Amino acid sequence: MKITVLAPDGSVVRELQGPDRKGFNRVSWDLRYPLTFKPVEGDEGWFGPPKGTFVLPGEYSIKVSARGQD
């Protein structure tokens, strides 16, 4: 299952992988863009591994694709 987060202008903000099984499932998005750089291996800094920047406030859309269907 692929979950795509879209900005108000329709551009892709983030793509997440979800479970592909029956029943109740949960996927969490940390409201961040993906990283735009490759961190140095083993360098977690003061606050853990590097993370992308937060998205701006607004209305975002979600597109779910599973087993070839949107």
Short mmCIF file of all heavy atoms in Angstrom, two decimals:
data_model
loop_
_atom_site.label_atom_id
_atom_site.label_comp_id
_atom_site.label_asym_id
_atom_site.label_seq_id
_atom_site.Cartn_x
_atom_site.Cartn_y
_atom_site.Cartn_z
N MET A 1 0.84 -1.16 0.00
CA MET A 1 0.00 0.00 0.00
C MET A 1 0.89 1.23 0.00
O MET A 1 1.87 1.31 0.74
CB MET A 1 -0.89 0.01 1.24
CG MET A 1 -1.65 1.29 1.39
SD MET A 1 -2.47 1.47 2.95
CE MET A 1 -3.84 0.41 2.72
N LYS A 2 0.58 2.17 -0.85
CA LYS A 2 1.32 3.43 -0.92
C LYS A 2 0.38 4.57 -0.59
O LYS A 2 -0.72 4.67 -1.14
CB LYS A 2 1.94 3.61 -2.29
CG LYS A 2 2.78 4.88 -2.39
CD LYS A 2 3.58 4.92 -3.68
CE LYS A 2 2.75 5.49 -4.78
NZ LYS A 2 3.50 5.77 -6.00
N ILE A 3 0.82 5.44 0.31
CA ILE A 3 0.04 6.61 0.70
C ILE A 3 0.81 7.84 0.24
O ILE A 3 1.98 8.00 0.59
CB ILE A 3 -0.17 6.64 2.22
CG1 ILE A 3 -0.91 5.38 2.64
CG2 ILE A 3 -0.91 7.90 2.64
CD1 ILE A 3 -0.85 5.10 4.10
N THR A 4 0.17 8.69 -0.56
CA THR A 4 0.80 9.89 -1.09
C THR A 4 0.13 11.11 -0.48
O THR A 4 -1.09 11.25 -0.53
CB THR A 4 0.68 9.94 -2.63
OG1 THR A 4 1.18 8.71 -3.17
CG2 THR A 4 1.46 11.09 -3.20
N VAL A 5 0.94 11.99 0.10
CA VAL A 5 0.44 13.24 0.67
C VAL A 5 0.65 14.33 -0.38
O VAL A 5 1.76 14.51 -0.88
CB VAL A 5 1.19 13.60 1.97
CG1 VAL A 5 0.66 14.91 2.54
CG2 VAL A 5 1.08 12.49 2.99
N LEU A 6 -0.42 15.03 -0.73
CA LEU A 6 -0.37 16.06 -1.76
C LEU A 6 -0.60 17.44 -1.17
O LEU A 6 -1.48 17.63 -0.32
CB LEU A 6 -1.44 15.78 -2.82
CG LEU A 6 -1.37 14.41 -3.50
CD1 LEU A 6 -2.63 14.15 -4.28
CD2 LEU A 6 -0.16 14.35 -4.40
N ALA A 7 0.17 18.41 -1.63
CA ALA A 7 0.02 19.81 -1.22
C ALA A 7 -1.23 20.40 -1.89
O ALA A 7 -1.78 19.81 -2.82
CB ALA A 7 1.26 20.61 -1.62
N PRO A 8 -1.67 21.57 -1.43
CA PRO A 8 -2.86 22.19 -2.05
C PRO A 8 -2.73 22.40 -3.56
O PRO A 8 -3.73 22.37 -4.27
CB PRO A 8 -2.97 23.53 -1.32
CG PRO A 8 -2.34 23.29 0.01
CD PRO A 8 -1.22 22.33 -0.27
N ASP A 9 -1.50 22.59 -4.07
CA ASP A 9 -1.31 22.77 -5.52
C ASP A 9 -1.21 21.45 -6.27
O ASP A 9 -1.01 21.44 -7.48
CB ASP A 9 -0.08 23.64 -5.79
CG ASP A 9 1.22 22.97 -5.36
OD1 ASP A 9 1.18 21.86 -4.81
OD2 ASP A 9 2.28 23.58 -5.58
N GLY A 10 -1.32 20.31 -5.58
CA GLY A 10 -1.28 18.99 -6.22
C GLY A 10 0.10 18.36 -6.27
O GLY A 10 0.23 17.24 -6.73
N SER A 11 1.12 19.07 -5.82
CA SER A 11 2.47 18.49 -5.83
C SER A 11 2.62 17.47 -4.70
O SER A 11 1.97 17.57 -3.65
CB SER A 11 3.53 19.58 -5.69
OG SER A 11 3.40 20.24 -4.46
N VAL A 12 3.48 16.48 -4.92
CA VAL A 12 3.70 15.43 -3.93
C VAL A 12 4.59 15.96 -2.81
O VAL A 12 5.67 16.49 -3.05
CB VAL A 12 4.36 14.19 -4.59
CG1 VAL A 12 4.71 13.15 -3.54
CG2 VAL A 12 3.44 13.61 -5.64
N VAL A 13 4.11 15.84 -1.58
CA VAL A 13 4.86 16.27 -0.41
C VAL A 13 5.63 15.09 0.16
O VAL A 13 6.81 15.20 0.48
CB VAL A 13 3.91 16.85 0.67
CG1 VAL A 13 4.66 17.14 1.96
CG2 VAL A 13 3.23 18.09 0.16
N ARG A 14 4.98 13.94 0.28
CA ARG A 14 5.61 12.78 0.90
C ARG A 14 4.92 11.52 0.43
O ARG A 14 3.71 11.52 0.19
CB ARG A 14 5.50 12.92 2.41
CG ARG A 14 6.24 11.92 3.25
CD ARG A 14 7.64 12.41 3.56
NE ARG A 14 8.39 11.46 4.32
CZ ARG A 14 8.63 11.56 5.62
NH1 ARG A 14 8.18 12.57 6.30
NH2 ARG A 14 9.35 10.65 6.23
N GLU A 15 5.67 10.44 0.30
CA GLU A 15 5.10 9.13 0.00
C GLU A 15 5.45 8.19 1.14
O GLU A 15 6.60 8.12 1.55
CB GLU A 15 5.63 8.59 -1.33
CG GLU A 15 5.10 9.36 -2.52
CD GLU A 15 5.55 8.79 -3.84
OE1 GLU A 15 6.59 8.09 -3.89
OE2 GLU A 15 4.87 9.05 -4.84
N LEU A 16 4.44 7.50 1.65
CA LEU A 16 4.62 6.59 2.77
C LEU A 16 4.19 5.19 2.37
O LEU A 16 3.29 5.03 1.55
CB LEU A 16 3.77 7.05 3.96
CG LEU A 16 3.96 8.49 4.42
CD1 LEU A 16 2.83 8.91 5.33
CD2 LEU A 16 5.28 8.62 5.13
N GLN A 17 4.80 4.19 2.97
CA GLN A 17 4.41 2.81 2.75
C GLN A 17 3.55 2.37 3.92
O GLN A 17 3.87 2.64 5.08
CB GLN A 17 5.64 1.90 2.65
CG GLN A 17 6.50 2.17 1.44
CD GLN A 17 5.75 1.93 0.14
OE1 GLN A 17 5.03 0.96 -0.01
NE2 GLN A 17 5.92 2.83 -0.81
N GLY A 18 2.44 1.73 3.64
CA GLY A 18 1.54 1.24 4.68
C GLY A 18 1.45 -0.27 4.61
O GLY A 18 1.90 -0.90 3.66
N PRO A 19 0.84 -0.88 5.62
CA PRO A 19 0.69 -2.33 5.64
C PRO A 19 -0.30 -2.78 4.57
O PRO A 19 -1.23 -2.07 4.22
CB PRO A 19 0.15 -2.62 7.04
CG PRO A 19 -0.47 -1.35 7.49
CD PRO A 19 0.27 -0.25 6.81
N ASP A 20 -0.08 -3.96 4.04
CA ASP A 20 -0.96 -4.51 3.01
C ASP A 20 -1.65 -5.74 3.58
O ASP A 20 -1.39 -6.87 3.19
CB ASP A 20 -0.13 -4.87 1.77
CG ASP A 20 -1.02 -5.28 0.61
OD1 ASP A 20 -2.22 -4.99 0.65
OD2 ASP A 20 -0.51 -5.90 -0.33
N ARG A 21 -2.53 -5.51 4.55
CA ARG A 21 -3.25 -6.62 5.16
C ARG A 21 -4.66 -6.17 5.54
O ARG A 21 -4.92 -4.98 5.69
CB ARG A 21 -2.50 -7.15 6.37
CG ARG A 21 -2.27 -6.14 7.45
CD ARG A 21 -1.51 -6.75 8.61
NE ARG A 21 -1.38 -5.79 9.67
CZ ARG A 21 -0.30 -5.07 9.90
NH1 ARG A 21 0.76 -5.19 9.14
NH2 ARG A 21 -0.26 -4.22 10.90
N LYS A 22 -5.54 -7.11 5.71
CA LYS A 22 -6.93 -6.82 6.07
C LYS A 22 -7.01 -6.34 7.51
O LYS A 22 -6.16 -6.63 8.33
CB LYS A 22 -7.78 -8.06 5.90
CG LYS A 22 -7.97 -8.48 4.47
CD LYS A 22 -8.86 -9.70 4.41
CE LYS A 22 -9.05 -10.15 2.98
NZ LYS A 22 -9.92 -11.32 2.90
N GLY A 23 -8.09 -5.61 7.79
CA GLY A 23 -8.35 -5.17 9.16
C GLY A 23 -8.01 -3.71 9.35
O GLY A 23 -7.78 -2.97 8.40
N PHE A 24 -7.99 -3.28 10.60
CA PHE A 24 -7.65 -1.90 10.94
C PHE A 24 -6.14 -1.74 10.92
O PHE A 24 -5.42 -2.53 11.52
CB PHE A 24 -8.19 -1.53 12.32
CG PHE A 24 -9.68 -1.39 12.35
CD1 PHE A 24 -10.46 -2.39 12.89
CD2 PHE A 24 -10.30 -0.28 11.82
CE1 PHE A 24 -11.84 -2.28 12.91
CE2 PHE A 24 -11.67 -0.15 11.84
CZ PHE A 24 -12.45 -1.16 12.39
N ASN A 25 -5.69 -0.72 10.22
CA ASN A 25 -4.26 -0.43 10.12
C ASN A 25 -4.05 1.05 10.36
O ASN A 25 -4.93 1.86 10.10
CB ASN A 25 -3.72 -0.81 8.73
CG ASN A 25 -3.84 -2.29 8.47
OD1 ASN A 25 -3.12 -3.08 9.04
ND2 ASN A 25 -4.78 -2.67 7.61
N ARG A 26 -2.87 1.40 10.81
CA ARG A 26 -2.56 2.80 11.10
C ARG A 26 -1.21 3.15 10.50
O ARG A 26 -0.26 2.39 10.60
CB ARG A 26 -2.51 3.02 12.60
CG ARG A 26 -2.23 4.45 12.97
CD ARG A 26 -2.18 4.62 14.45
NE ARG A 26 -3.52 4.40 14.99
CZ ARG A 26 -3.88 4.64 16.22
NH1 ARG A 26 -3.01 5.09 17.08
NH2 ARG A 26 -5.11 4.42 16.62
N VAL A 27 -1.16 4.32 9.88
CA VAL A 27 0.08 4.86 9.34
C VAL A 27 0.23 6.27 9.90
O VAL A 27 -0.73 7.03 9.94
CB VAL A 27 0.07 4.89 7.80
CG1 VAL A 27 1.31 5.56 7.27
CG2 VAL A 27 -0.04 3.49 7.25
N SER A 28 1.42 6.61 10.32
CA SER A 28 1.67 7.91 10.93
C SER A 28 2.58 8.74 10.03
O SER A 28 3.59 8.25 9.54
CB SER A 28 2.32 7.68 12.30
OG SER A 28 2.74 8.89 12.85
N TRP A 29 2.21 10.01 9.83
CA TRP A 29 3.05 10.95 9.09
C TRP A 29 3.51 12.01 10.07
O TRP A 29 2.70 12.59 10.79
CB TRP A 29 2.25 11.56 7.94
CG TRP A 29 2.93 12.65 7.20
CD1 TRP A 29 4.25 12.70 6.83
CD2 TRP A 29 2.36 13.87 6.72
NE1 TRP A 29 4.52 13.85 6.15
CE2 TRP A 29 3.36 14.60 6.07
CE3 TRP A 29 1.09 14.41 6.78
CZ2 TRP A 29 3.13 15.83 5.48
CZ3 TRP A 29 0.87 15.63 6.19
CH2 TRP A 29 1.88 16.33 5.54
N ASP A 30 4.79 12.29 10.12
CA ASP A 30 5.35 13.23 11.08
C ASP A 30 5.25 14.69 10.64
O ASP A 30 5.86 15.57 11.23
CB ASP A 30 6.79 12.89 11.41
CG ASP A 30 7.70 12.92 10.20
OD1 ASP A 30 7.24 13.23 9.09
OD2 ASP A 30 8.89 12.62 10.36
N LEU A 31 4.45 14.97 9.61
CA LEU A 31 4.22 16.32 9.07
C LEU A 31 5.50 16.97 8.57
O LEU A 31 5.66 18.18 8.63
CB LEU A 31 3.55 17.22 10.12
CG LEU A 31 2.22 16.72 10.66
CD1 LEU A 31 1.72 17.65 11.77
CD2 LEU A 31 1.19 16.59 9.57
N ARG A 32 6.41 16.16 8.05
CA ARG A 32 7.69 16.66 7.55
C ARG A 32 7.90 16.27 6.09
O ARG A 32 7.38 15.27 5.62
CB ARG A 32 8.85 16.09 8.36
CG ARG A 32 8.88 16.55 9.78
CD ARG A 32 10.03 15.87 10.51
NE ARG A 32 10.08 16.22 11.91
CZ ARG A 32 10.77 17.24 12.41
NH1 ARG A 32 11.48 17.99 11.61
NH2 ARG A 32 10.75 17.48 13.69
N TYR A 33 8.67 17.10 5.40
CA TYR A 33 9.15 16.74 4.07
C TYR A 33 10.23 15.68 4.23
O TYR A 33 10.84 15.58 5.30
CB TYR A 33 9.77 17.96 3.37
CG TYR A 33 8.77 18.97 2.88
CD1 TYR A 33 8.53 20.14 3.60
CD2 TYR A 33 8.07 18.77 1.70
CE1 TYR A 33 7.63 21.09 3.14
CE2 TYR A 33 7.16 19.71 1.24
CZ TYR A 33 6.95 20.86 1.97
OH TYR A 33 6.05 21.78 1.52
N PRO A 34 10.51 14.91 3.17
CA PRO A 34 11.63 13.97 3.27
C PRO A 34 12.95 14.75 3.34
O PRO A 34 13.02 15.93 2.96
CB PRO A 34 11.53 13.15 1.99
CG PRO A 34 10.65 13.91 1.07
CD PRO A 34 9.82 14.83 1.90
N LEU A 35 13.99 14.09 3.81
CA LEU A 35 15.31 14.72 3.86
C LEU A 35 15.77 15.10 2.47
O LEU A 35 15.54 14.36 1.51
CB LEU A 35 16.34 13.77 4.46
CG LEU A 35 16.45 13.73 5.96
CD1 LEU A 35 17.48 12.70 6.38
CD2 LEU A 35 16.79 15.07 6.54
N THR A 36 16.42 16.24 2.34
CA THR A 36 16.92 16.69 1.04
C THR A 36 18.42 16.45 0.91
O THR A 36 19.01 16.82 -0.08
CB THR A 36 16.62 18.18 0.82
OG1 THR A 36 17.18 18.92 1.91
CG2 THR A 36 15.13 18.42 0.76
N PHE A 37 19.03 15.87 1.94
CA PHE A 37 20.46 15.57 1.89
C PHE A 37 20.70 14.21 2.53
O PHE A 37 19.85 13.70 3.26
CB PHE A 37 21.27 16.64 2.63
CG PHE A 37 20.99 16.69 4.11
CD1 PHE A 37 21.76 15.97 4.99
CD2 PHE A 37 19.95 17.45 4.60
CE1 PHE A 37 21.49 15.99 6.35
CE2 PHE A 37 19.68 17.50 5.96
CZ PHE A 37 20.45 16.76 6.84
N LYS A 38 21.84 13.62 2.24
CA LYS A 38 22.18 12.33 2.82
C LYS A 38 23.04 12.57 4.07
O LYS A 38 24.13 13.12 3.97
CB LYS A 38 22.94 11.48 1.82
CG LYS A 38 23.26 10.11 2.34
CD LYS A 38 23.83 9.23 1.25
CE LYS A 38 24.31 7.94 1.83
NZ LYS A 38 23.38 6.87 1.76
N PRO A 39 22.54 12.18 5.26
CA PRO A 39 23.31 12.43 6.48
C PRO A 39 24.56 11.55 6.54
O PRO A 39 24.62 10.49 5.92
CB PRO A 39 22.33 12.06 7.60
CG PRO A 39 21.32 11.18 6.97
CD PRO A 39 21.27 11.54 5.51
N VAL A 40 25.55 12.02 7.28
CA VAL A 40 26.77 11.25 7.50
C VAL A 40 26.41 10.04 8.35
O VAL A 40 25.73 10.16 9.37
CB VAL A 40 27.84 12.11 8.21
CG1 VAL A 40 29.08 11.30 8.50
CG2 VAL A 40 28.16 13.33 7.37
N GLU A 41 26.85 8.86 7.93
CA GLU A 41 26.51 7.64 8.66
C GLU A 41 27.03 7.68 10.09
O GLU A 41 28.19 8.03 10.33
CB GLU A 41 27.08 6.43 7.93
CG GLU A 41 26.59 5.12 8.52
CD GLU A 41 27.00 3.92 7.68
OE1 GLU A 41 27.15 4.08 6.46
OE2 GLU A 41 27.17 2.86 8.26
N GLY A 42 26.18 7.35 11.04
CA GLY A 42 26.55 7.32 12.44
C GLY A 42 26.46 8.66 13.14
O GLY A 42 26.62 8.73 14.35
N ASP A 43 26.19 9.74 12.42
CA ASP A 43 26.10 11.06 13.03
C ASP A 43 24.65 11.35 13.39
O ASP A 43 23.84 11.69 12.54
CB ASP A 43 26.62 12.14 12.09
CG ASP A 43 26.57 13.53 12.70
OD1 ASP A 43 26.48 13.63 13.94
OD2 ASP A 43 26.62 14.51 11.95
N GLU A 44 24.30 11.19 14.67
CA GLU A 44 22.94 11.44 15.11
C GLU A 44 22.80 12.79 15.79
O GLU A 44 21.71 13.20 16.15
CB GLU A 44 22.47 10.32 16.03
CG GLU A 44 22.32 9.01 15.28
CD GLU A 44 21.55 7.98 16.07
OE1 GLU A 44 20.97 8.32 17.12
OE2 GLU A 44 21.53 6.84 15.64
N GLY A 45 23.88 13.50 16.00
CA GLY A 45 23.80 14.84 16.58
C GLY A 45 23.20 14.85 17.97
O GLY A 45 23.08 13.82 18.63
N TRP A 46 22.82 16.01 18.43
CA TRP A 46 22.25 16.17 19.77
C TRP A 46 20.83 15.65 19.88
O TRP A 46 20.38 15.22 20.93
CB TRP A 46 22.25 17.65 20.17
CG TRP A 46 23.60 18.20 20.41
CD1 TRP A 46 24.39 18.83 19.51
CD2 TRP A 46 24.35 18.13 21.62
NE1 TRP A 46 25.59 19.19 20.08
CE2 TRP A 46 25.58 18.77 21.39
CE3 TRP A 46 24.11 17.61 22.88
CZ2 TRP A 46 26.56 18.90 22.36
CZ3 TRP A 46 25.07 17.74 23.85
CH2 TRP A 46 26.28 18.37 23.59
N PHE A 47 20.06 15.73 18.80
CA PHE A 47 18.63 15.45 18.87
C PHE A 47 18.22 14.22 18.06
O PHE A 47 17.09 14.12 17.63
CB PHE A 47 17.84 16.66 18.39
CG PHE A 47 18.17 17.91 19.15
CD1 PHE A 47 18.98 18.89 18.58
CD2 PHE A 47 17.72 18.08 20.44
CE1 PHE A 47 19.30 20.03 19.29
CE2 PHE A 47 18.03 19.23 21.15
CZ PHE A 47 18.82 20.20 20.59
N GLY A 48 19.12 13.29 17.86
CA GLY A 48 18.81 12.08 17.12
C GLY A 48 19.10 12.25 15.64
O GLY A 48 19.71 13.22 15.22
N PRO A 49 18.65 11.30 14.83
CA PRO A 49 18.92 11.37 13.40
C PRO A 49 18.29 12.59 12.76
O PRO A 49 17.25 13.07 13.21
CB PRO A 49 18.31 10.09 12.84
CG PRO A 49 17.59 9.44 13.94
CD PRO A 49 17.89 10.14 15.22
N PRO A 50 18.89 13.12 11.69
CA PRO A 50 18.32 14.29 11.00
C PRO A 50 16.94 14.00 10.44
O PRO A 50 16.64 12.88 10.05
CB PRO A 50 19.30 14.56 9.86
CG PRO A 50 20.50 13.75 10.15
CD PRO A 50 20.11 12.66 11.07
N LYS A 51 16.10 15.02 10.40
CA LYS A 51 14.73 14.91 9.88
C LYS A 51 14.49 16.06 8.92
O LYS A 51 15.14 17.09 8.99
CB LYS A 51 13.72 14.97 11.02
CG LYS A 51 13.87 13.84 12.00
CD LYS A 51 12.93 14.00 13.16
CE LYS A 51 13.17 12.88 14.15
NZ LYS A 51 12.56 13.13 15.44
N GLY A 52 13.53 15.89 8.03
CA GLY A 52 13.16 16.95 7.09
C GLY A 52 12.45 18.09 7.79
O GLY A 52 12.04 17.98 8.95
N THR A 53 12.25 19.18 7.08
CA THR A 53 11.57 20.34 7.65
C THR A 53 10.05 20.10 7.70
O THR A 53 9.52 19.31 6.93
CB THR A 53 11.84 21.61 6.81
OG1 THR A 53 11.41 21.38 5.48
CG2 THR A 53 13.30 21.97 6.82
N PHE A 54 9.37 20.79 8.61
CA PHE A 54 7.92 20.68 8.72
C PHE A 54 7.25 21.34 7.52
O PHE A 54 7.74 22.31 6.97
CB PHE A 54 7.42 21.37 10.00
CG PHE A 54 7.64 20.56 11.24
CD1 PHE A 54 8.58 20.93 12.16
CD2 PHE A 54 6.88 19.43 11.48
CE1 PHE A 54 8.79 20.20 13.31
CE2 PHE A 54 7.08 18.68 12.63
CZ PHE A 54 8.03 19.07 13.55
N VAL A 55 6.09 20.81 7.12
CA VAL A 55 5.29 21.43 6.07
C VAL A 55 4.60 22.66 6.64
O VAL A 55 4.41 22.77 7.85
CB VAL A 55 4.26 20.45 5.47
CG1 VAL A 55 4.94 19.28 4.82
CG2 VAL A 55 3.27 19.99 6.51
N LEU A 56 4.21 23.56 5.77
CA LEU A 56 3.48 24.76 6.20
C LEU A 56 2.03 24.40 6.52
O LEU A 56 1.49 23.44 5.98
CB LEU A 56 3.52 25.81 5.10
CG LEU A 56 4.90 26.37 4.78
CD1 LEU A 56 4.82 27.30 3.57
CD2 LEU A 56 5.48 27.10 5.98
N PRO A 57 1.37 25.16 7.39
CA PRO A 57 -0.04 24.91 7.68
C PRO A 57 -0.87 25.04 6.40
O PRO A 57 -0.57 25.85 5.53
CB PRO A 57 -0.41 26.00 8.68
CG PRO A 57 0.87 26.44 9.28
CD PRO A 57 1.91 26.26 8.22
N GLY A 58 -1.89 24.24 6.29
CA GLY A 58 -2.76 24.29 5.12
C GLY A 58 -3.57 23.02 5.00
O GLY A 58 -3.56 22.17 5.87
N GLU A 59 -4.26 22.88 3.89
CA GLU A 59 -5.07 21.69 3.63
C GLU A 59 -4.32 20.79 2.67
O GLU A 59 -3.98 21.20 1.56
CB GLU A 59 -6.42 22.09 3.04
CG GLU A 59 -7.28 22.84 4.02
CD GLU A 59 -8.67 23.10 3.48
OE1 GLU A 59 -9.14 22.33 2.63
OE2 GLU A 59 -9.27 24.09 3.91
N TYR A 60 -4.08 19.57 3.09
CA TYR A 60 -3.36 18.58 2.29
C TYR A 60 -4.31 17.45 1.95
O TYR A 60 -5.25 17.16 2.67
CB TYR A 60 -2.14 18.06 3.06
CG TYR A 60 -1.10 19.14 3.26
CD1 TYR A 60 -1.18 20.03 4.33
CD2 TYR A 60 -0.06 19.29 2.36
CE1 TYR A 60 -0.25 21.03 4.50
CE2 TYR A 60 0.88 20.29 2.52
CZ TYR A 60 0.78 21.15 3.59
OH TYR A 60 1.70 22.15 3.75
N SER A 61 -4.05 16.79 0.82
CA SER A 61 -4.87 15.67 0.38
C SER A 61 -4.07 14.38 0.50
O SER A 61 -2.84 14.39 0.46
CB SER A 61 -5.28 15.84 -1.08
OG SER A 61 -5.99 17.04 -1.24
N ILE A 62 -4.79 13.27 0.61
CA ILE A 62 -4.17 11.96 0.71
C ILE A 62 -4.67 11.10 -0.45
O ILE A 62 -5.87 11.06 -0.73
CB ILE A 62 -4.55 11.28 2.05
CG1 ILE A 62 -4.12 12.11 3.23
CG2 ILE A 62 -3.96 9.88 2.12
CD1 ILE A 62 -2.65 12.30 3.38
N LYS A 63 -3.75 10.41 -1.10
CA LYS A 63 -4.10 9.46 -2.17
C LYS A 63 -3.59 8.10 -1.73
O LYS A 63 -2.42 7.97 -1.35
CB LYS A 63 -3.43 9.89 -3.48
CG LYS A 63 -3.68 8.93 -4.61
CD LYS A 63 -2.97 9.42 -5.86
CE LYS A 63 -2.99 8.36 -6.93
NZ LYS A 63 -2.19 8.73 -8.08
N VAL A 64 -4.46 7.10 -1.74
CA VAL A 64 -4.10 5.75 -1.31
C VAL A 64 -4.14 4.83 -2.51
O VAL A 64 -5.13 4.79 -3.24
CB VAL A 64 -5.07 5.24 -0.21
CG1 VAL A 64 -4.71 3.83 0.19
CG2 VAL A 64 -5.04 6.18 0.99
N SER A 65 -3.05 4.09 -2.70
CA SER A 65 -2.97 3.09 -3.78
C SER A 65 -2.64 1.74 -3.15
O SER A 65 -1.71 1.64 -2.38
CB SER A 65 -1.87 3.44 -4.78
OG SER A 65 -2.09 4.71 -5.32
N ALA A 66 -3.44 0.73 -3.51
CA ALA A 66 -3.20 -0.61 -2.98
C ALA A 66 -3.56 -1.64 -4.04
O ALA A 66 -4.62 -1.56 -4.64
CB ALA A 66 -4.02 -0.84 -1.72
N ARG A 67 -2.65 -2.56 -4.27
CA ARG A 67 -2.87 -3.67 -5.21
C ARG A 67 -3.32 -3.19 -6.59
O ARG A 67 -4.23 -3.74 -7.20
CB ARG A 67 -3.89 -4.65 -4.63
CG ARG A 67 -3.40 -5.25 -3.35
CD ARG A 67 -4.38 -6.23 -2.78
NE ARG A 67 -3.90 -6.69 -1.49
CZ ARG A 67 -4.67 -6.99 -0.49
NH1 ARG A 67 -5.98 -6.90 -0.61
NH2 ARG A 67 -4.16 -7.39 0.64
N GLY A 68 -2.69 -2.10 -7.05
CA GLY A 68 -2.96 -1.60 -8.39
C GLY A 68 -4.21 -0.73 -8.51
O GLY A 68 -4.59 -0.35 -9.62
N GLN A 69 -4.86 -0.40 -7.40
CA GLN A 69 -6.06 0.44 -7.44
C GLN A 69 -5.82 1.71 -6.65
O GLN A 69 -5.16 1.69 -5.63
CB GLN A 69 -7.26 -0.30 -6.87
CG GLN A 69 -7.64 -1.52 -7.66
CD GLN A 69 -8.87 -2.20 -7.08
OE1 GLN A 69 -9.39 -1.81 -6.05
NE2 GLN A 69 -9.35 -3.21 -7.77
N ASP A 70 -6.38 2.82 -7.14
CA ASP A 70 -6.29 4.11 -6.43
C ASP A 70 -7.54 4.37 -5.63
O ASP A 70 -8.59 3.97 -5.94
CB ASP A 70 -6.08 5.25 -7.42
CG ASP A 70 -4.71 5.19 -8.06
OD1 ASP A 70 -3.80 4.58 -7.50
OD2 ASP A 70 -4.57 5.79 -9.14
#
